[in-house]
Amino acid sequence: MAVRPSSKQIIVNQAYELVMANGFAGTSIDMILDACGLTKGAFFYHFKSKAELGVAIAKRYVDQDNSFFVRFMVDVGRKTDDPLQRVLLFLESLANSYTSRPRPPGCLFASFSYDNHTLEMAEFMKTWTMRWRSHYGRMFKAISQKYEPLIEIDEDELGDHFICIIQGGYVLSRIYNKPEQVAMHLRHLMNYVTLIYGKPVEPELAEPRTTEGVA
Amino acid sequence: MAVRPSSKQIIVNQAYELVMANGFAGTSIDMILDACGLTKGAFFYHFKSKAELGVAIAKRYVDQDNSFFVRFMVDVGRKTDDPLQRVLLFLESLANSYTSRPRPPGCLFASFSYDNHTLEMAEFMKTWTMRWRSHYGRMFKAISQKYEPLIEIDEDELGDHFICIIQGGYVLSRIYNKPEQVAMHLRHLMNYVTLIYGKPVEPELAEPRTTEGVA
Amino acid sequence: MAVRPSSKQIIVNQAYELVMANGFAGTSIDMILDACGLTKGAFFYHFKSKAELGVAIAKRYVDQDNSFFVRFMVDVGRKTDDPLQRVLLFLESLANSYTSRPRPPGCLFASFSYDNHTLEMAEFMKTWTMRWRSHYGRMFKAISQKYEPLIEIDEDELGDHFICIIQGGYVLSRIYNKPEQVAMHLRHLMNYVTLIYGKPVEPELAEPRTTEGVA
Amino acid sequence: MAVRPSSKQIIVNQAYELVMANGFAGTSIDMILDACGLTKGAFFYHFKSKAELGVAIAKRYVDQDNSFFVRFMVDVGRKTDDPLQRVLLFLESLANSYTSRPRPPGCLFASFSYDNHTLEMAEFMKTWTMRWRSHYGRMFKAISQKYEPLIEIDEDELGDHFICIIQGGYVLSRIYNKPEQVAMHLRHLMNYVTLIYGKPVEPELAEPRTTEGVA
DNA sequence: ACAAGCGGGACTACCCGTTGTT
DNA sequence: AACAACGGGTAGTCCCGCTTGT
C-alpha cells in the first residue's frame, strides 16, 4: 500500500527538511543528495536548477500545510456546529499540537521571505498566503453572523492576524528553541477572539491531540 | 559632528543591509566588499572570519533596535503618566512608523533563526530576546498595578506576544511586499490590550511620527 | 518519395548544424537531442559514443560536399568541352552560389582541424582532402594539355590552392559575417587561372545559379 | 632584464597555446591552470569569466600577430625601395618562415570563428581583420602607383585575398599536418601578384629566414 | 589600515555514458 | 527503437581564509 516514494519525492522531502534547518541558500545540493543517497545525475534529471527545486519544495509545503490545517478543521467541524466554538477548538487543538514536538516548527515561506528572491517564488508565496488569509477570514465571518463583535473588526484582517501569530510564534520558538512557545501565542489569540465576541470556549469539548512533523 | 564612519562600520552597515535582503548564507563577503568599495585586506583586518562579522551585525542590530524602540517609549513617556495610555500610545506611534517605508521591514534575528546556526549566535539571540520580553513585560506589569485585567494574564507573556506580533507582521509584510501590514497587526494588539484592561486609548494624545530605516 | 528521415539521420543533421555553429567540443549531446526531440536512449542506440557521431557527421559532410561540387561540374560539363572554360565556368557559378546565403558558409573539416583530435578523424580528413586535391588537380591537368601555362605550375598544387581559397574564404566570411565574401576570392582565383593560361573566360556562357545550404 | 611574467600573463600564454590546439570550448580552465601551476583562486581573481579570458587571449594574439608581420615588413623595407619587390620579398620570407616549424600554424581568429560566439568577440575580430585588410591593401596600392596592373583590381581586395590564403593555408596545413603547406600557397600568391603587375621578383634579394613559434 | 594576490575547496550546472523497461 | 532514470565525473563560478607588501 505505502508505495516507495519516487526519487524526485525523496529529494523534495529531504530538501524541505534541510532548508527548514539551514535556509535555502545555506542548503547545498550535495547536502541534499547525500541525505538521499543519490547523485547529481539524478538531481539534474528531475530539476533543471536549484531554483526549480525551490518551487517544488514550496509546492510540497503548501500541500502539506493545507492538509495539516484542514485536518484540524474537519475534526473540529464534527464536534460542534457553533462557529465560535469551532474556531476556539481549532486554535486549542492546534496549540496542543505544538506542545510535543522534538524541534521548533517553522514556515518555509518565512524562511524564503528572508533569503529567496526569484519573482516567481514571491508571487507564489503571496498568492497562497492571501488564499489562507481569506480562508481564515471566512471562519471569522461565520462567527460574526451569529455573534455581535464588541469592537469593529475586519474578519479578513483577523484571518491575517492568525497567520501573523503563527509566523511570529514560529520565529520565537526557534529563537528560544522551545516548540511549545507557539501554543502560548495561540492561546492569546483565543483570548482575543473570546473578548471580541464576548463568549468563552466551552472547555469540555476541547481535547488534546498530538500530531507529527508538520508545521 | 557627523563623523565619517570607519571602514569597519561601513562594512557592518552594508553587510546588515545585504543580509536583510539575501540572508546570511546568501550574502558573500565579496558582495559586501563590492558595496563598500573595499578589498579583502580590509575585511580580514577587522574580522577574522565571516562568522565574526555575523556577530558584529547582530550587535549592531541590537543597538539600533534598542534605540529605535526606546525613542518611542521616551516620547510616549513625556506625553502621559498613565501606564495603559503609554503602551497604547507606544503601539500607535510604532504602528504609524510602519506606514511610510519604502521596503518591508525585517528582523535580523528572524533571518538568522532560519539560516544561521552557530551556538554563540543562538545564545546571543536568545539572551536579547528574553531581555526584550521582560522589558515589555514590565510595561504590562505597570498597567496591571493600576488596572484590573478582565482575564488572567501573565505580563511577561504579553511582552513576548508583542514581539511575536512584530515578527509575524514582518514576515507577512515581506510576503505581501507591503510595509504597512505591520501596523494593522499592531492595532489588533492594541485592541487586545484595550479589551484586557477595559479601557480604550484617548486618541487626542496620539500623534503620527515617521522614522527611518530600522525595524 | 521524400521519405521521413530516420532518427539517426535526424540526429546527424541536427548535430551537423550545431557543430558548424558551436564547434564539436562546444556542442553537447543533450543540445543535439533537445533539437531532435529525442533522448539519450535513442542516441546511444545509434552511436556508441560522441566520437562516433563525429565520424558520422564527417561522412555526411563529405557526401553532401561531394554532391554539391559535382553538381556544378556536371552542369558546366554540359555547356562546354573546353577544359579551361569548364574550370572558369565552374568557379564562376560556384562563386555565384555564395552570393545569396542567409548565413556564412563553413567547412566541417576546418572546424575539426581546430578542435577535434582523434587520430581516426585526422586520417579521414586528410584522406578526403587529398582526394579532392587530386580531383581538382586533374581539372587543371586537362587544361595544361590544351593550353601552355605562362609559368611553371604543378596542377595538383593548383587543386590544393583552390581548396585553400575556399577555406580561407569561409573563415573570412564568418569573421566578416558576409557570405558573399567567398565569391570575391574565387574570382581572384579565376583571375589567377586566366593569367596563367593566357586566355580569358567567355562570359556569354556564364549563367548564375543559386544553391542551398551547403558548403 | 627579462622580468618574470605575471601570473596573469602566464595564464594568457598557456591558454593561448591550449586553445590553438584544442579550441576554446575544448580547453578547460583546469587544463590551463594545471599547465600554469596555479589554482582557481588565481584565475578568477584576474578574470571574471572564461569569456573574459577569451578576450585577453584574442588581444594577446593580435599584439603578437602584429609584431610578427611587422618584423617581416621592416626587414623587407630595409632591403629595397621598390613596392613590388617589397611585397614579393615579404611573401617570400614569410613563406620561408613556415618551412621549419614543428607543428602546423593556426589563426586564433579562425578557431574562434568556428566555435566562439560572444558578440564582443565577433566585433573585435571583425575590426582587426578589416584593419589588416586595409593595411595590406595599402601595400598593393603602393605597387599600383608605380606599376600598371594588367587586369583591373581592387587593392583592398588583394589585401583580403592575402589573409584568405594565409587562413586557407593554415587550415590545410593542419589537415595535412604539414606546416610547410602554407609556404606553397603563399608562392602561388606571389605568382598571382607577379602576373598582375607583369614583373618578376629579383631572386638575388631573397634570403631565407627562420622564425619561431608564431602565426 | 588597507591593497593585491592567491590557495584550495564548495557550489551549481551540465556532461557523457549506462541500465532497465517497454 | 526509444524512454526514464541515474551514476559518476567535470566545467565554470565563486567563496572564504590567509599572506605579503605598502
Side-chain angles (χ1 to χ4, degrees):
Chain A
M1 210 75 209
V3 197
R4 203 192 81 92
S6 71
S7 288
K8 184 164 184 172
Q9 283 172 326
I10 294 174
I11 292 173
V12 174
N13 287 343
Q14 292 288 348
Y16 171 69
E17 298 298 331
L18 289 167
V19 167
M20 285 306 264
N22 313 308
F24 188 75
T27 304
S28 77
I29 293 178
D30 280 335
M31 259 161 89
I32 297 164
L33 292 172
D34 277 359
C36 298
L38 292 170
T39 56
K40 299 283 176 67
F43 183 87
F44 284 97
Y45 175 77
H46 292 293
F47 307 95
K48 70 177 221 290
S49 72
K50 195 191 180 189
E52 199 174 290
L53 171 68
V55 175
I57 295 175
K59 287 193 172 138
R60 196 208 91 118
Y61 176 70
V62 164
D63 284 350
Q64 173 193 273
D65 196 72
N66 281 340
S67 67
F68 176 73
F69 285 97
V70 162
R71 232 182 325 154
F72 283 100
M73 305 192 76
V74 168
D75 281 5
V76 161
R78 279 204 223 98
K79 292 193 183 153
T80 172
D81 281 337
D82 182 78
L84 177 56
Q85 290 305 318
R86 278 190 175 173
V87 166
L88 293 173
L89 272 174
F90 168 70
L91 294 174
E92 174 68 20
S93 44
L94 189 60
N96 287 334
S97 82
Y98 290 110
T99 55
S100 53
R101 300 204 180 193
R103 277 166 302 144
C107 170
L108 187 78
F109 282 15
S111 175
F112 279 178
S113 82
Y114 278 103
D115 90 349
N116 191 278
H117 291 274
T118 70
L119 237 91
E120 186 191 1
M121 182 64 79
E123 215 53 52
F124 180 84
M125 285 167 35
K126 190 172 172 180
T127 301
W128 271 102
T129 308
M130 294 185 78
R131 208 167 290 177
W132 288 328
R133 170 195 163 100
S134 58
H135 177 74
Y136 297 114
R138 278 193 296 277
M139 277 183 8
F140 290 107
K141 278 175 191 152
I143 306 180
S144 294
Q145 286 184 339
K146 190 164 170 194
Y147 300 90
E148 177 75 11
L150 292 190
I151 58 171
E152 199 182 353
I153 52 110
D154 175 320
E155 289 84 1
D156 282 334
E157 281 188 4
L158 270 186
D160 215 60
H161 196 53
F162 165 65
I163 303 175
C164 167
I165 283 169
I166 290 278
Q167 294 289 1
Y170 284 2
V171 169
L172 284 175
S173 84
R174 293 172 83 92
I175 290 176
Y176 293 142
N177 196 29
K178 282 193 193 152
E180 65 274 22
Q181 197 72 0
V182 186
M184 183 261 279
H185 293 290
L186 282 174
R187 281 188 246 272
H188 278 283
L189 178 57
M190 289 169 68
N191 287 343
Y192 184 33
V193 172
T194 305
L195 289 168
I196 288 174
Y197 291 104
K199 201 149 181 303
V201 62
E202 294 159 25
E204 70 274 14
L205 288 169
E207 175 188 306
R209 138 141 213 194
T210 49
T211 322
E212 253 315 286
V214 259
Chain B
M1 209 77 210
V3 198
R4 207 192 76 93
S6 71
S7 286
K8 183 163 184 172
Q9 282 172 325
I10 293 174
I11 291 173
V12 174
N13 287 343
Q14 291 288 348
Y16 171 68
E17 298 296 332
L18 289 167
V19 168
M20 284 306 263
N22 313 308
F24 189 74
T27 304
S28 76
I29 295 179
D30 283 334
M31 253 163 95
I32 298 163
L33 261 14
D34 275 1
C36 298
L38 293 170
T39 56
K40 288 286 173 62
F43 183 86
F44 283 98
Y45 174 77
H46 293 292
F47 308 95
K48 71 176 227 287
S49 71
K50 196 192 178 188
E52 199 174 290
L53 171 68
V55 175
I57 295 175
K59 286 192 173 138
R60 195 208 91 120
Y61 176 71
V62 165
D63 284 350
Q64 175 191 273
D65 198 71
N66 281 340
S67 68
F68 176 74
F69 285 97
V70 162
R71 234 186 319 158
F72 283 100
M73 305 192 76
V74 169
D75 280 6
V76 162
R78 281 204 220 95
K79 292 196 182 150
T80 172
D81 283 335
D82 183 78
L84 177 56
Q85 289 306 317
R86 279 191 176 172
V87 166
L88 294 173
L89 271 173
F90 168 69
L91 294 174
E92 174 70 20
S93 45
L94 188 60
N96 286 334
S97 84
Y98 290 110
T99 54
S100 53
R101 299 205 181 193
R103 277 166 303 146
C107 170
L108 188 77
F109 283 13
S111 175
F112 279 180
S113 82
Y114 277 103
D115 90 349
N116 191 277
H117 287 102
T118 70
L119 242 92
E120 184 192 2
M121 181 65 75
E123 215 53 53
F124 181 84
M125 283 166 38
K126 190 172 172 179
T127 302
W128 271 101
T129 308
M130 294 185 78
R131 204 167 293 174
W132 288 328
R133 170 194 163 101
S134 57
H135 176 75
Y136 296 115
R138 279 192 295 278
M139 278 186 5
F140 290 107
K141 278 173 191 154
I143 305 180
S144 295
Q145 287 182 339
K146 189 164 169 192
Y147 299 90
E148 177 75 11
L150 293 191
I151 58 172
E152 196 182 355
I153 53 112
D154 174 319
E155 288 84 0
D156 281 335
E157 281 188 4
L158 269 187
D160 215 60
H161 197 53
F162 165 66
I163 303 175
C164 167
I165 282 170
I166 290 280
Q167 293 290 1
Y170 284 1
V171 168
L172 284 175
S173 85
R174 291 171 85 92
I175 290 176
Y176 292 141
N177 197 29
K178 280 194 194 155
E180 65 273 22
Q181 198 71 1
V182 185
M184 185 260 279
H185 294 290
L186 283 174
R187 281 188 244 273
H188 279 283
L189 179 58
M190 290 169 67
N191 287 342
Y192 184 34
V193 172
T194 305
L195 289 168
I196 289 174
Y197 291 103
K199 202 154 181 301
V201 63
E202 294 160 25
E204 68 273 15
L205 287 170
E207 175 188 306
R209 141 143 210 194
T210 48
T211 322
E212 253 315 287
V214 257
Chain C
M1 212 73 212
V3 198
R4 204 192 79 92
S6 71
S7 285
K8 183 162 183 172
Q9 283 171 324
I10 294 174
I11 292 172
V12 174
N13 286 344
Q14 292 287 349
Y16 171 69
E17 297 296 331
L18 289 167
V19 168
M20 285 305 264
N22 314 309
F24 189 74
T27 304
S28 77
I29 294 179
D30 283 333
M31 254 164 93
I32 298 164
L33 260 14
D34 275 0
C36 297
L38 294 170
T39 56
K40 289 284 173 65
F43 183 87
F44 284 97
Y45 175 78
H46 292 293
F47 308 94
K48 73 177 226 286
S49 72
K50 194 189 179 190
E52 198 174 290
L53 170 68
V55 175
I57 295 174
K59 285 194 173 135
R60 195 207 91 122
Y61 175 71
V62 164
D63 284 349
Q64 172 191 275
D65 198 71
N66 280 341
S67 68
F68 176 74
F69 285 98
V70 162
R71 234 186 319 159
F72 283 100
M73 303 191 78
V74 169
D75 280 6
V76 162
R78 281 204 220 95
K79 291 195 182 152
T80 171
D81 283 335
D82 182 78
L84 177 55
Q85 289 307 317
R86 280 188 174 174
V87 166
L88 293 174
L89 271 174
F90 167 71
L91 294 174
E92 174 69 19
S93 42
L94 189 60
N96 286 334
S97 82
Y98 290 109
T99 54
S100 54
R101 299 203 181 193
R103 277 167 303 146
C107 171
L108 187 78
F109 282 15
S111 175
F112 279 0
S113 80
Y114 276 103
D115 90 349
N116 190 278
H117 286 102
T118 71
L119 241 92
E120 185 192 2
M121 182 63 78
E123 215 53 52
F124 181 85
M125 283 165 41
K126 189 171 172 180
T127 303
W128 271 101
T129 309
M130 294 186 77
R131 204 167 293 175
W132 288 328
R133 171 195 162 100
S134 59
H135 176 75
Y136 297 114
R138 277 193 295 278
M139 276 186 8
F140 291 107
K141 278 174 190 154
I143 304 179
S144 294
Q145 287 183 340
K146 189 164 170 192
Y147 299 89
E148 176 74 12
L150 292 192
I151 58 173
E152 197 181 354
I153 53 110
D154 175 318
E155 288 84 0
D156 281 335
E157 282 189 2
L158 268 188
D160 215 60
H161 197 54
F162 165 66
I163 302 175
C164 167
I165 283 170
I166 289 280
Q167 294 287 3
Y170 284 1
V171 169
L172 284 175
S173 84
R174 292 172 84 92
I175 291 177
Y176 293 141
N177 196 28
K178 279 194 193 155
E180 66 272 22
Q181 198 72 359
V182 185
M184 183 261 278
H185 294 290
L186 283 174
R187 282 188 244 275
H188 278 283
L189 178 57
M190 290 169 67
N191 287 343
Y192 184 33
V193 172
T194 306
L195 288 168
I196 288 174
Y197 290 104
K199 201 150 181 303
V201 61
E202 295 161 26
E204 69 275 14
L205 287 171
E207 175 187 307
R209 141 141 211 193
T210 49
T211 322
E212 254 315 289
V214 258
Chain D
M1 211 73 214
V3 197
R4 202 192 81 91
S6 71
S7 287
K8 185 164 183 172
Q9 283 172 325
I10 294 174
I11 292 173
V12 174
N13 287 344
Q14 291 288 348
Y16 171 68
E17 298 297 331
L18 288 167
V19 167
M20 285 305 265
N22 313 309
F24 189 74
T27 305
S28 77
I29 294 177
D30 280 333
M31 257 163 92
I32 297 164
L33 292 171
D34 278 358
C36 297
L38 292 170
T39 58
K40 296 278 177 71
F43 184 87
F44 283 96
Y45 176 77
H46 292 292
F47 308 95
K48 73 177 218 292
S49 71
K50 195 189 181 191
E52 199 174 290
L53 171 68
V55 175
I57 295 175
K59 286 192 174 139
R60 197 207 89 121
Y61 175 71
V62 164
D63 284 350
Q64 174 192 271
D65 196 73
N66 281 341
S67 67
F68 176 74
F69 285 97
V70 161
R71 232 184 323 156
F72 283 101
M73 302 191 78
V74 168
D75 280 6
V76 161
R78 270 199 285 259
K79 291 194 183 155
T80 171
D81 283 335
D82 183 79
L84 177 55
Q85 289 306 319
R86 280 189 173 172
V87 166
L88 293 174
L89 271 173
F90 168 71
L91 294 174
E92 174 69 20
S93 43
L94 189 61
N96 286 334
S97 82
Y98 290 109
T99 54
S100 52
R101 299 203 181 194
R103 278 166 302 144
C107 171
L108 187 78
F109 282 15
S111 176
F112 279 177
S113 80
Y114 277 103
D115 90 351
N116 190 279
H117 290 275
T118 70
L119 236 90
E120 186 191 2
M121 181 65 79
E123 213 55 51
F124 181 84
M125 284 168 35
K126 188 171 172 179
T127 302
W128 271 101
T129 309
M130 293 186 78
R131 205 166 292 177
W132 287 329
R133 170 196 162 102
S134 59
H135 177 74
Y136 296 115
R138 278 193 295 278
M139 277 186 6
F140 290 109
K141 279 174 191 154
I143 305 180
S144 293
Q145 287 183 337
K146 188 164 169 192
Y147 299 90
E148 177 74 12
L150 291 192
I151 59 172
E152 198 181 356
I153 51 109
D154 175 320
E155 288 85 0
D156 281 335
E157 282 188 3
L158 269 187
D160 215 61
H161 197 55
F162 165 66
I163 302 174
C164 167
I165 283 170
I166 290 278
Q167 294 288 3
Y170 283 3
V171 169
L172 283 175
S173 85
R174 292 172 83 92
I175 290 176
Y176 293 141
N177 197 28
K178 281 192 193 154
E180 66 273 21
Q181 198 72 1
V182 186
M184 184 261 278
H185 294 289
L186 282 174
R187 281 188 245 275
H188 278 283
L189 178 57
M190 290 169 68
N191 286 343
Y192 183 34
V193 171
T194 307
L195 288 169
I196 289 174
Y197 291 103
K199 201 149 181 303
V201 62
E202 293 160 28
E204 70 273 15
L205 286 170
E207 174 188 307
R209 141 141 210 196
T210 49
T211 322
E212 252 315 286
V214 260

